Amino acid sequence: MKKKKHNPVLTILFILFIVYLSLFIAGESGYYEKQVNEKIILTEENIRKFEDDVKNNREINLDNYTNNINKDYSCFASNAGDSFSNFVENLFTKELGKMGKILKKMFS
C-alpha cells in the first residue's frame, strides 16, 4: 500500500489557518483587551500614588511610578536574522556605492 504524499503548500495553508483561527478566538474572547486593561489599572494606581505623594510632600522618584518591563525576546533565530539583514544592508550599500562610482566614471 502506497502512502499519500502531502502537498507542502496545503500543509502550510492549514497551519496558517490554525494560527489565524487561534488569534481570532483570542481576540474575540477578550484576552488582549484584558491584558491592556490590567496595564491601564496599574497606570491609574501609579497616578493615584503619585498624586498622594505630591499632596503629602514626599520625595518623588520616577522609578516608583513607572512599570519598566523590558523583556528580551532575542534568540538564536532572531540574532541570526538580524546579523543576516545587517550583512545584506552593508553589502548593498557598499556594492551599490561602488557600482554608482563606476557608472559615474563611465558616463562622465
Side-chain angles (χ1 to χ4, degrees), residues 12-91:
I12 291 171
L13 286 176
F14 179 73
I15 292 170
L16 289 175
F17 177 73
I18 297 297
V19 169
Y20 168 77
L21 196 60
S22 62
L23 291 174
F24 179 77
I25 291 171
E28 288 298 315
S29 68
Y31 176 77
Y32 178 73
E33 286 81 11
K34 180 180 178 282
Q35 296 297 322
V36 171
N37 285 335
E38 285 180 5
K39 289 181 183 178
I40 290 171
I41 290 169
L42 287 174
T43 303
E44 289 175 356
E45 289 174 358
N46 288 340
I47 289 171
R48 283 190 218 108
K49 183 179 171 186
F50 174 77
E51 290 172 347
D52 288 341
D53 288 349
V54 170
K55 285 180 186 177
N56 297 328
N57 291 328
R58 292 186 187 135
E59 183 180 341
I60 296 174
N61 185 0
L62 184 60
D63 294 332
N64 295 336
Y65 311 106
T66 57
N67 297 330
N68 291 331
I69 302 171
N70 295 327
K71 294 184 180 177
D72 184 18
Y73 293 107
S74 63
C75 65
F76 173 74
S78 63
N79 291 339
D82 191 35
S83 298
F84 180 72
S85 67
N86 288 337
F87 170 75
V88 170
E89 178 184 359
N90 290 334
L91 180 71

